[in-house]
Amino acid sequence: MNRTIIIMAKVPIVGTVKTRLQSILSPEKCAELAAAFLQDTINKAQTICKNVILAYSPAGRSRLLENIVSSEIVLIEQKGINLGEKMSNVFEFVLNENSDSAAVMIGTDSPTFPADYIAQAFELLEKDSEIVLGKSKDGGFYLIGLRKPFPKLFDEIEWSTSLVFEQITRNVENLEIKGLKQIPDHYDVDTPDDFLFMKAEILGDEGLQKSSENTYQWLVSNNETI
């Protein structure tokens, strides 16, 4: 089965990324942190799969990714009115009904989740699952894997709320998508509390310092100011 990892990411433009952290970090520091998250996410993905697609927004700003993304990464613009449409369109770009393929989509807000979770998702898809989900502790999901696109999967979801996971699993049931499997829960870094938890976790774990190297280096460089 052909494997593809999709990374959904915002271009780390000052003032537009990690805005919920601006109560403790400047907009410039938020952009630096977002860039570190993105670099670590790409590196993690490449340990599992050579075929990595970065779906970015906003459109037309790919030049700002040149110092972060290697030429091996395929860049595509996110297209759609909301996050659900954007995700659906990327899956349709990567998968089709008749291909022997599997795609796992992740974001960049969970820099500490193990690369092995991606590998687990592919293994489940290659057995008997049509969909795999990794639930985030805020009620959303940090990973979704599919074997084929389901155009209505992301309909009627209240994005950025604690209802997201509940609503997508409802859609899975209503669409009769077979074999839903879950990998372990993890957390996103959205709020100051999330950030402080992540900081303590990385600074106290040598394994995470290696697997989240760019984030770790950023934390060390900025430790006196946060």
Side-chain angles (χ1 to χ4, degrees):
M1 185 172 284
N2 298 316
R3 294 181 172 188
T4 302
I5 296 175
I6 302 164
I7 299 172
M8 299 287 284
K10 291 182 179 179
V11 178
I13 301 168
V14 174
T16 68
V17 289
K18 310 313 298 175
T19 54
R20 293 170 70 185
L21 297 181
Q22 288 184 14
S23 61
I24 59 171
L25 299 174
S26 69
E28 291 77 14
K29 293 298 182 185
C30 287
E32 291 174 7
L33 183 63
F37 282 9
L38 177 55
Q39 289 173 317
D40 285 335
T41 302
I42 291 170
N43 292 343
K44 175 164 48 187
Q46 290 183 311
T47 67
I48 299 299
C49 180
K50 292 184 178 179
N51 188 20
V52 177
I53 291 175
L54 176 61
Y56 67 91
S57 69
R61 304 304 295 271
S62 62
R63 183 182 59 81
L64 299 178
L65 297 169
E66 290 176 358
N67 294 329
I68 302 173
V69 179
S70 70
S71 59
E72 299 171 347
I73 305 296
V74 176
L75 295 176
I76 64 171
E77 294 180 353
Q78 296 180 17
K79 296 181 180 180
I81 296 173
N82 57 42
L83 180 59
E85 285 190 14
K86 292 174 181 179
M87 295 171 71
S88 182
N89 288 335
V90 177
F91 273 121
E92 288 185 11
F93 175 80
V94 173
L95 301 170
N96 63 66
E97 291 287 342
N98 301 313
S99 67
D100 184 29
S101 300
V104 170
M105 177 182 285
I106 59 177
T108 62
D109 289 335
S110 302
T112 61
F113 85 82
D116 183 58
Y117 289 4
I118 304 174
Q120 288 180 37
F122 278 122
E123 289 166 6
L124 291 167
L125 290 169
E126 290 169 356
K127 289 179 181 178
D128 57 359
S129 298
E130 289 186 332
I131 181 169
V132 176
L133 290 170
K135 184 179 180 180
S136 55
K137 294 184 178 180
D138 62 2
F141 57 89
Y142 68 91
L143 178 150
I144 179 169
L146 297 176
R147 288 214 313 254
K148 61 182 179 180
F150 296 95
K152 296 184 178 181
L153 176 60
F154 303 108
D155 287 0
E156 298 182 14
I157 291 179
E158 298 172 66
W159 298 105
S160 301
T161 74
S162 60
L163 299 174
V164 170
F165 190 84
E166 175 186 335
Q167 291 171 341
I168 195 166
T169 52
R170 174 205 63 199
N171 288 352
V172 169
E173 182 178 355
N174 291 342
L175 294 169
E176 298 182 348
I177 301 173
K178 299 176 182 177
L180 169 63
K181 294 292 192 301
Q182 288 184 234
I183 57 172
D185 295 359
H186 203 69
Y187 68 94
D188 287 340
V189 179
D190 292 320
T191 67
D193 285 345
D194 299 332
F195 172 81
L196 294 173
F197 181 87
M198 177 205 68
K199 177 184 176 183
E201 185 181 38
I202 291 178
L203 293 181
D205 188 317
E206 291 185 2
L208 289 176
Q209 291 165 20
K210 293 178 181 178
S211 63
S212 306
E213 180 180 3
N214 292 283
T215 302
Y216 171 61
Q217 293 297 336
W218 186 92
L219 289 170
V220 171
S221 298
N222 293 275
N223 196 34
E224 294 182 0
T225 61
I226 53 178

